[in-house]
Coordinates of all heavy atoms in Angstrom, one line a residue:
E53 N 1.8 -8.3 16.1 CA 0.7 -7.2 16.3 C 0.5 -6.6 14.9 O 1.5 -6.2 14.3 CB 1.2 -6.2 17.3 CG 1.1 -6.7 18.7 CD -0.3 -7.0 19.2 OE1 -1.2 -6.2 18.8 OE2 -0.5 -7.9 19.9
P54 N -0.7 -6.4 14.5 CA -1.0 -5.8 13.2 C -0.4 -4.4 13.0 O 0.2 -4.1 11.9 CB -2.5 -5.7 13.1 CG -3.0 -6.8 14.0 CD -2.0 -6.9 15.1
A55 N -0.4 -3.5 14.0 CA 0.2 -2.2 13.9 C 1.7 -2.3 13.7 O 2.3 -1.5 12.9 CB -0.2 -1.3 15.1
A56 N 2.3 -3.2 14.4 CA 3.8 -3.4 14.2 C 4.1 -3.9 12.8 O 5.0 -3.5 12.2 CB 4.3 -4.4 15.3
A57 N 3.2 -4.8 12.3 CA 3.4 -5.3 10.9 C 3.2 -4.2 9.9 O 3.9 -4.1 8.9 CB 2.4 -6.4 10.7
A58 N 2.3 -3.3 10.1 CA 2.0 -2.2 9.2 C 3.3 -1.3 9.2 O 3.7 -0.9 8.1 CB 0.8 -1.3 9.7
R59 N 3.9 -1.0 10.3 CA 5.2 -0.3 10.3 C 6.3 -1.0 9.6 O 7.0 -0.4 8.8 CB 5.6 0.1 11.7 CG 4.7 1.1 12.4 CD 5.1 1.4 13.8 NE 4.3 2.4 14.5 CZ 4.4 3.7 14.3 NH1 5.3 4.2 13.6 NH2 3.6 4.5 15.0
R60 N 6.4 -2.3 9.9 CA 7.5 -3.1 9.2 C 7.3 -3.1 7.7 O 8.2 -2.9 7.0 CB 7.4 -4.5 9.8 CG 8.4 -5.5 9.1 CD 8.3 -6.9 9.7 NE 7.0 -7.5 9.8 CZ 6.3 -8.0 8.7 NH1 6.8 -7.9 7.5 NH2 5.1 -8.5 8.9
E61 N 6.1 -3.4 7.3 CA 5.8 -3.5 5.8 C 6.0 -2.2 5.1 O 6.4 -2.1 4.0 CB 4.4 -4.1 5.6 CG 4.3 -5.5 5.9 CD 5.1 -6.4 5.0 OE1 5.4 -6.0 3.8 OE2 5.5 -7.5 5.4
F62 N 5.7 -1.1 5.8 CA 5.9 0.3 5.2 C 7.4 0.4 4.8 O 7.8 0.8 3.7 CB 5.5 1.3 6.2 CG 5.6 2.7 5.6 CD1 4.5 3.4 5.1 CD2 6.8 3.4 5.7 CE1 4.5 4.7 4.6 CE2 6.9 4.7 5.2 CZ 5.8 5.4 4.7
T63 N 8.2 0.1 5.8 CA 9.7 0.2 5.6 C 10.2 -0.8 4.6 O 11.0 -0.5 3.7 CB 10.4 0.0 7.0 OG1 9.9 1.0 7.9 CG2 11.9 0.1 6.8
E64 N 9.7 -2.0 4.6 CA 10.1 -3.0 3.6 C 9.7 -2.7 2.2 O 10.5 -2.8 1.3 CB 9.5 -4.4 4.0 CG 10.2 -5.1 5.1 CD 9.7 -6.5 5.5 OE1 8.9 -7.0 4.6 OE2 10.0 -7.0 6.5
E65 N 8.5 -2.2 2.0 CA 8.0 -1.9 0.7 C 8.6 -0.6 0.1 O 8.9 -0.5 -1.1 CB 6.5 -1.7 0.7 CG 5.8 -3.0 0.7 CD 4.4 -3.0 0.1 OE1 3.9 -1.9 -0.4 OE2 3.7 -4.0 0.0
L66 N 8.9 0.4 1.0 CA 9.3 1.7 0.5 C 10.8 1.9 0.7 O 11.4 2.9 0.2 CB 8.5 2.8 1.1 CG 7.0 2.7 0.8 CD1 6.3 3.9 1.5 CD2 6.7 2.6 -0.6
G67 N 11.4 1.1 1.6 CA 12.8 1.3 1.9 C 13.1 2.6 2.7 O 14.2 3.1 2.7
L68 N 12.1 3.1 3.4 CA 12.2 4.3 4.2 C 11.6 4.1 5.5 O 10.7 3.3 5.7 CB 11.5 5.5 3.5 CG 12.0 5.9 2.1 CD1 11.0 6.9 1.5 CD2 13.4 6.5 2.2
P69 N 12.1 4.8 6.5 CA 11.5 4.6 7.9 C 10.1 5.2 7.9 O 9.8 6.1 7.1 CB 12.4 5.4 8.8 CG 13.1 6.4 7.9 CD 13.2 5.7 6.6
V70 N 9.2 4.7 8.7 CA 7.9 5.3 8.9 C 8.1 6.6 9.6 O 8.8 6.8 10.6 CB 7.1 4.4 9.8 CG1 5.7 5.0 10.1 CG2 6.9 3.0 9.2
P71 N 7.4 7.7 9.0 CA 7.5 9.0 9.7 C 7.0 8.9 11.1 O 6.1 8.1 11.5 CB 6.6 9.9 8.8 CG 6.6 9.2 7.5 CD 6.7 7.7 7.8
D72 N 7.5 9.8 11.9 CA 7.1 9.9 13.3 C 5.6 10.3 13.4 O 5.2 11.1 12.6 CB 7.9 10.9 14.1 CG 9.4 10.4 14.3 OD1 9.6 9.2 14.3 OD2 10.3 11.3 14.5
G73 N 4.9 9.8 14.4 CA 3.6 10.2 14.6 C 2.7 9.0 15.1 O 3.2 7.9 15.2
D74 N 1.5 9.4 15.5 CA 0.6 8.4 16.1 C -0.2 7.7 15.0 O -0.8 8.5 14.1 CB -0.3 9.0 17.1 CG 0.4 9.5 18.3 OD1 1.4 8.8 18.7 OD2 0.0 10.5 18.9
L75 N -0.4 6.4 15.0 CA -1.2 5.7 14.1 C -2.7 5.8 14.6 O -3.0 5.7 15.8 CB -0.9 4.2 14.0 CG 0.5 3.9 13.4 CD1 0.8 2.4 13.4 CD2 0.7 4.5 12.0
V76 N -3.6 6.0 13.6 CA -5.0 6.1 13.9 C -5.7 5.0 13.1 O -5.6 5.0 11.9 CB -5.6 7.5 13.5 CG1 -7.1 7.5 13.8 CG2 -4.9 8.6 14.3
E77 N -6.3 4.0 13.8 CA -6.9 2.9 13.1 C -8.0 3.3 12.2 O -8.9 4.1 12.6 CB -7.4 1.8 14.1 CG -7.7 0.5 13.3 CD -7.9 -0.7 14.2 OE1 -7.7 -0.6 15.4 OE2 -8.3 -1.7 13.7
L78 N -8.0 2.8 11.0 CA -9.1 3.1 10.0 C -10.0 1.9 9.7 O -11.0 2.1 9.0 CB -8.4 3.5 8.6 CG -7.5 4.7 8.6 CD1 -6.9 4.9 7.3 CD2 -8.3 5.9 9.0
G79 N -9.7 0.8 10.3 CA -10.6 -0.3 10.1 C -10.0 -1.4 9.2 O -8.8 -1.4 8.9

Side-chain angles (χ1 to χ4, degrees):
E53 287 294 322
R59 289 180 180 277
R60 174 182 51 77
E61 287 294 333
F62 183 99
T63 300
E64 285 181 14
E65 283 206 358
L66 303 181
L68 298 172
V70 177
D72 290 335
D74 294 326
L75 296 179
V76 177
E77 189 167 355
L78 297 177

